[in-house]
Every structure is written in structure tokens, then in C-alpha cells.
Amino acid sequence: MISPLLLSSALALLSVVGIPSTPNLGKAEAQCRANESGPAFLIDIVGLKDRKGKLKLEVYPANDTDFLQDDNILIAQGKTFRRVEVPVPSTNPVTLCVRLPGPGRYAVTVLHDRDGNRKFGLSVDGVGFGGNPKLGLSKPKAMKASIVAGGSLTRERIVMNYRRGLMSFGPTTKGL
């Protein structure tokens, strides 16, 4: 067992050093399998600007401290983090499934990584959040970006938002 002092020191070092996100963290835990019971989100993605790049759905604890926190830190602290990453399908509606550790409230994000560089580019990429909050110049509060999961599949709809003009973000008018 790791001592709390050692764990605390390691987490502090991680935050200072700024270890980059590990792209595969949370993917195995998030994978939905046929005929598997238990809580999961089935997320319908609407309003895509185009059909290029990748979609990345991530699930976080529904509190402002942990929402959008580095995945390495969340995993090291034993907190919820799930990730699903898929190429954008060329046709048909887009639905992503993510397995959850249990029923409860979770903050959810979806990134439309149009250029495939695994980073959010303000002028290029799109973003959506659970609860579909109106976006301003900063990230939404975790509670506004959250969804409550039951004991089985919980279906929700997330509307994608893209940069519109110099200082605004919102849904596209055409939406694929």
C-alpha cells in the first residue's frame, strides 16, 4: 500500500512537471461490450460541422476540482475517468457508448478533433458537454456539464459547438 504522504508528493510533482495526458488511459474501463449489464451512457452526438477527424468522449467526476483535470492525476487518485476515442463515421447518426463505474452524476465532454492532433484547437475543433450548457469564454461548471446515470444504459444527446466569430462559440447552423 502506498503511504498517503508519498501519494500526495507524487501528485504534487505530476502537477508541477505537467506530465501530458496519456491517450489510452480510461479506454479499457470505458469500453462497452454486447450483452454487458450495468451503468453506461449512450450519447447521441448531433451538430457535427463535418465528418473528418476523431471524436473523443471523456467522463469525469461531477465537481469543479476534478472536471477536465489531467487524466494521470485522476487515475492516480483513484477517481473516475473514462475515455472513448473513435474516427468520425462518414455517414449515419453518431452514437458513442461509455461504460461507467456505477450509477451517479458524471461530467461529460465530447471533443471533435477535426485535425486529429489530440488537442483542442479553438479555431478548428468542436466541443460538446453533457447537459448542453450555453458556452461562454470559459469552461462550464461541472454540474451544468453533467448527466445522471442510472443502473443500466442512460441515453443522452450532446450538441456540438464550434467557434462562431471572434468571441463566440455555439452550434453550427447546418449540423451533420
Side-chain angles (χ1 to χ4, degrees):
M1 182 170 157
I2 299 174
S3 78
L5 182 59
L6 181 60
L7 180 60
S8 175
S9 298
L11 293 173
L13 180 61
L14 279 174
S15 64
V16 171
V17 175
I19 293 179
S21 172
T22 306
N24 290 321
L25 277 180
K27 284 185 177 179
E29 300 85 354
Q31 185 178 14
C32 291
R33 295 164 198 82
N35 302 317
E36 185 175 39
S37 62
F41 286 138
L42 202 55
I43 306 290
D44 296 317
I45 310 297
V46 297
L48 290 170
K49 188 172 191 175
D50 54 41
R51 295 294 183 137
K52 58 185 182 180
K54 292 186 175 204
L55 290 172
K56 180 170 60 172
L57 182 147
E58 294 180 335
V59 176
Y60 296 85
N63 65 68
D64 291 331
T65 302
D66 295 329
F67 181 44
L68 299 177
Q69 176 66 270
D70 182 271
D71 50 8
N72 292 290
I73 293 171
L74 291 172
I75 298 286
Q77 292 176 342
K79 295 182 179 177
T80 297
F81 178 77
R82 301 289 189 269
R83 176 182 289 138
V84 173
E85 191 173 26
V86 297
V88 177
S90 58
T91 61
N92 299 325
V94 178
T95 301
L96 301 177
C97 183
V98 60
R99 188 70 43 206
L100 303 167
R105 181 176 290 277
Y106 299 93
V108 179
T109 66
V110 177
L111 170 66
H112 181 191
D113 185 9
R114 294 175 64 224
D115 57 9
N117 69 353
R118 289 198 156 137
K119 297 178 186 174
F120 178 69
L122 181 65
S123 61
V124 176
D125 299 326
V127 66
F129 295 95
N132 296 305
K134 183 173 166 74
L135 299 182
L137 297 178
S138 63
K139 73 178 185 177
K141 296 286 186 187
M143 248 351 205
K144 290 192 180 246
S146 67
I147 303 170
V148 176
S152 60
L153 282 178
T154 301
R155 189 167 210 138
E156 290 291 329
R157 181 176 172 256
I158 292 183
V159 177
M160 298 305 295
N161 296 273
Y162 298 86
R163 185 169 169 188
R164 298 186 320 183
L166 186 60
M167 300 297 274
S168 67
F169 237 73
T172 64
T173 53
K174 65 178 185 176
L176 296 173

